[in-house]
Structures are given as structure tokens and as C-alpha cells.
Amino acid sequence: MRIRRTGLAAGAALLAAALGLTLALGGGEQRQPGILLTAAAAPEPAPSAAELTATSQATEAFGVDLYRALAQQQNVALSPAGLAAVLGMLLPSAHGTTQQELATALRTRLPADRYAMALGALRAQPGDKRVVLKQSDTLWAQHGYPVRQDYLALLAAAFRTGVRTTDFAKDPDGSRNAVNQLVEQQTGGLVKNLFAPGQLDSGTLLALTDALYLKADWETPFKAADSTDQAFHRLDGSTPEVRMMHQNDDLRYAAGTGPGAPWQAVELPYVGGDLAMDLVVPDQGDFDAFRGALTGPVLDQVLGALTQTRIELAVPKFSLQSDEDLNGALAGLGVRTAFSTAADLTGLVPAGTSPKPVLTSVVQKAVVQVDETGTTAAAGSGAAVGATAVAPPRVSARLTVDRPFVFLIRDLRSGQLLFLGQVTDPQG
């Protein structure tokens, strides 16, 4: 993967030592009820360039693994960066086999604290103020549950987050609504009801959330007057008419023959040039073979082949929504112990604390909307930690994009993969 970096800085915000209503972050203060502030701690060293590169590549590989686990669905929209953040918040609390399985699934070999710091540092803001890109993380704790101060200090340093306290035990529905409402607010109203009824209950001890929101216009918008209705070739052989956008421009383009299947790819930059959407389009009839062979190195090969080319392009407008319970998919990637009574998340709480924390649910909702103007996308990711283990999850040139394709949205400076998915039916 070719990486450009400008101004990546480590997350270094620390919370004041107190229990009260004032949250101090980034030099500002807000009055917010139910905020537990962490004790001050020595700041973590900023991540090195090598740590940033390794973490960006790990996020990409993790995202591709997760995509392949879900790719048999019709349309898929994921946020690898969002889910990596949620699990990256949990990773420093894990020990032994629990940590090894999580780290393996996340494709990282860095120490848990360095991985967390690198994830936070990869969140560089786009240089162009016309692009909105926001990522917010929150830890919700059961009132009175003794979360370790060193763990909270690391989350503050890496992710600039404090802890909100609530009473899952006495008011699980009210607590779930509060968690969901904050994610909805952080995603511009696009992600609603991240946690479904029952996913946060009276036994919940902690809930970790990540909210990612993107609104970006194309560097060269499509002209609405040029959009036409055109056949799209679904996997089942049907060919509905969809609204197709057209453009003739100099774009980064490539074509290849494998592995898996022949493909074409094009990159559509957003204003400012820091972010882009890439479309990878296997030949008609070869989509299954291509997605079956897709890996992180294959994706790097595709992206590395892109070169400036004059191209006549047609792309369908599309709007996707996904709602994923990821327990089974993560189990398929080897994350099993965290969901069991053998879970070791003792980095969360002092030794001997009862009840013992166990991972109970990992969820993500994502929305991606693409039209002539640009892209609006949002994702909410969440992990619930409870007192009772759940049952082990089951493992479960010329380019007309008129057939199923893979899409990704990435930060061209760091390589961080923000969104990844597939469109097999633009009409949803």
C-alpha cells in the first residue's frame, strides 16, 4: 500500500482527576451529566511511523477478513476503522488467550497500548474544510463498577474519550436508549438504535461505542443531466433499470487479470484530495471468484496498479444500510474466549472484582449514500461487556459499473480503511 502522511499526531488528551460533571477534552469544557473523569497519568509516547503503517495495514486486512465473512449477503457496508476502534478499546483490558485471539483477528502484532495509540493517531482531519469526517468513541460503565484508572487513562490518551456512567442494572432500557441516542447524534442522525433490545440488559457492565461520520463531495461532481436509466446485471441474472451517473475525466484507473478473476478499478477523489472512493469491478460472471480470492495483499495490488487515465465512466447511484450482529463473524475469525466464561478482561477492573466481565455482543450499523454530488456515510460500532457469558457464537479505459462491485473509502494519506463493502443490487 502506498501511503502519504501529513500532520498525523498522536491522541494525547488526558482527563482531570475527579468525579463530577465537567469533562475536559482538547482544551474545552462541557457540562455533561453522568461523566466519570479519569485520574491524570503520564502521556503515552506518540506512535512511530512504523506503528502507524502497521496499524493501517492491519485495519485493511481485518476489514477484508470481515467482509469475506459477510460477503454472501446481497449488499454489504462495513466500517473496518470503526470496528477496529471498538475492539482496540477493549484489547488493552484483555490478557492471555483472550488478548491473543483479539489481536490475531485485528491482525496486529503491536502491544495493545501501542495499537490503541496508533488507531487514535490515524484520525487526521482532511485538509479541506468542505469535507466532514468525525470519529467519536465512548465508554459507558455501570454506575459503581470499579473500572481501572490506568485503563481509563489509556483510552483518554488514545481515543480522547471519557466514561459515561449509567444504571444498566436498574434501567436497562433507559440506558440502552441513552447509548443509542448519543451514537445517533454523533452520526448526524443516520445510525439509529445501534443496540437492539436485549443486547444491553440488566447484566451489562460496560458498553463501548464508536461513531464515524463522513460527508464529502466529489472533486469532479457528476452532472445530474447526464444521468440515465441503464440495466444493472444482478448475480441472479436479472437486469433492473438503475440510475447511472456518467463522467468523462482523468482518473486513476487499472485493470488486471487476477487472482480469482479479471477486474477493473477506478478511484474517485473527494474535494481536497485526502480521501477517495475506490470501485473494484470484476468481469461479468466472475464476482464470486473475485471476492473469494480477495485478501489484503490482493487489495494492495489493485490499489497499487492505479494510474492516471482518461476514462469514460458510468457508476450507479446507490444507498446502502447494514445492520450486523458480528458475534458469529468474529468467532469465525478466532475470537471465542472473550465470549466465554474463560474470558480474561481483568485489565478493566481491579483483581477480584465481581462480577467478572465477559464480552456479550459486538454490533455495527452502517449507511453509505452515493449520488452525483458525493458521498454521505456513517457507521456506529458497539461492544457490550456483561456479567454472564453468552452461548458460543456459531461460525458462521472504459468502465461501466453495471454489475456487482466492491467499494472502499479510504484516507489516502494514512491508508486507513474507513468503509468497505459490496453492491450487488443498487436498488437495495
Side-chain angles (χ1 to χ4, degrees):
M1 175 181 291
R2 295 180 294 180
I3 297 177
R4 291 190 287 117
R5 292 190 187 85
T6 55
L8 288 180
L14 292 176
L15 299 177
L19 176 60
L21 301 180
T22 302
L23 176 62
L25 283 177
E29 293 189 353
Q30 297 178 352
R31 288 283 175 180
Q32 298 183 5
I35 300 290
L36 174 66
L37 303 184
T38 70
E44 289 277 342
S48 67
E51 288 175 324
L52 293 172
T53 299
T55 301
S56 174
Q57 292 173 339
T59 303
E60 176 190 79
F62 169 59
V64 172
D65 288 343
L66 198 58
Y67 161 73
R68 290 182 62 186
L70 301 170
Q72 294 307 311
Q73 301 177 23
Q74 178 170 284
N75 291 328
V76 174
L78 294 170
S79 173
L83 191 59
V86 163
L87 296 180
M89 292 169 70
L90 186 66
L91 187 64
S93 75
H95 298 288
T97 302
T98 305
Q99 186 182 78
Q100 292 170 10
E101 291 177 354
L102 280 168
T104 298
L106 289 167
R107 295 295 198 99
T108 182
R109 296 183 179 180
L110 294 178
D113 58 339
R114 303 310 302 158
Y115 176 70
M117 291 298 296
L119 280 174
L122 284 169
R123 299 177 182 181
Q125 286 298 307
D128 194 306
K129 294 184 178 180
R130 291 172 293 176
V131 176
V132 179
L133 178 61
K134 299 178 181 178
Q135 192 165 3
S136 307
D137 297 291
T138 308
L139 173 64
W140 295 78
Q142 167 63 33
H143 181 70
Y145 195 61
V147 185
R148 290 173 59 108
Q149 289 296 298
D150 55 351
Y151 173 73
L152 297 180
L154 176 60
L155 295 193
F159 300 104
R160 299 177 182 264
T161 185
V163 181
R164 292 173 179 258
T165 60
T166 188
D167 201 335
F168 293 108
K170 292 184 179 179
D171 187 11
D173 286 337
S175 297
R176 182 177 62 85
N177 288 337
V179 174
N180 287 343
Q181 286 170 8
L182 181 60
V183 172
E184 181 176 344
Q185 173 188 331
Q186 292 169 333
T187 58
L190 290 178
V191 176
K192 304 178 189 296
N193 300 316
L194 174 62
F195 286 100
Q199 290 178 327
L200 299 178
D201 57 23
S202 59
T204 298
L205 302 173
L206 300 167
L208 303 96
T209 64
D210 176 89
L212 181 60
Y213 177 80
L214 167 70
K215 185 171 179 58
D217 291 344
W218 304 122
E219 189 171 73
T220 303
F222 294 83
K223 294 180 180 178
D226 293 337
S227 296
T228 60
D229 292 334
Q230 190 169 333
F232 185 91
H233 301 271
R234 291 173 172 158
L235 291 176
D236 63 7
S238 60
T239 55
E241 294 282 308
V242 303
R243 199 66 177 168
M244 197 75 74
M245 307 181 296
H246 294 267
Q247 190 175 112
N248 192 323
D249 201 0
D250 291 319
L251 298 169
R252 281 162 49 81
Y253 166 86
T257 57
W263 51 265
Q264 293 173 276
V266 66
E267 184 167 281
L268 298 171
Y270 296 108
V271 289
D274 292 334
L275 305 177
M277 172 176 280
D278 298 280
L279 308 179
V280 186
V281 190
D283 281 2
Q284 181 64 34
D286 289 327
F287 186 76
D288 284 337
F290 179 82
R291 67 181 170 185
L294 185 62
T295 63
V298 169
L299 190 55
D300 285 342
Q301 178 184 344
V302 171
L303 299 177
L306 295 167
T307 58
Q308 204 75 10
T309 305
R310 190 71 180 182
I311 180 173
E312 183 178 315
L313 178 66
V315 178
K317 296 174 61 172
F318 64 90
S319 179
L320 306 182
Q321 295 188 42
S322 71
D323 184 355
E324 303 290 351
D325 182 330
L326 296 172
N327 288 19
L330 289 171
L333 299 183
V335 180
R336 299 175 181 274
T337 306
F339 291 100
S340 74
T341 55
D344 186 348
L345 300 175
T346 50
L348 285 171
V349 292
T353 298
S354 181
K356 176 184 174 182
V358 176
L359 185 63
T360 58
S361 184
V362 180
V363 296
Q364 186 175 84
K365 284 191 173 185
V367 177
V368 179
Q369 301 169 347
V370 172
D371 61 18
E372 289 90 350
T373 303
T375 300
T376 302
S381 309
V385 174
T388 304
V390 296
R394 293 184 296 173
V395 177
S396 353
R398 178 191 295 265
L399 177 57
T400 297
V401 186
D402 61 353
R403 53 196 184 274
F405 60 93
V406 174
F407 72 88
L408 52 144
I409 300 175
R410 60 192 178 115
D411 188 325
L412 298 177
R413 299 161 298 173
S414 67
Q416 186 73 330
L417 190 56
L418 303 176
F419 291 88
L420 171 66
Q422 69 182 31
V423 177
T424 63
D425 183 357
Q427 296 180 330

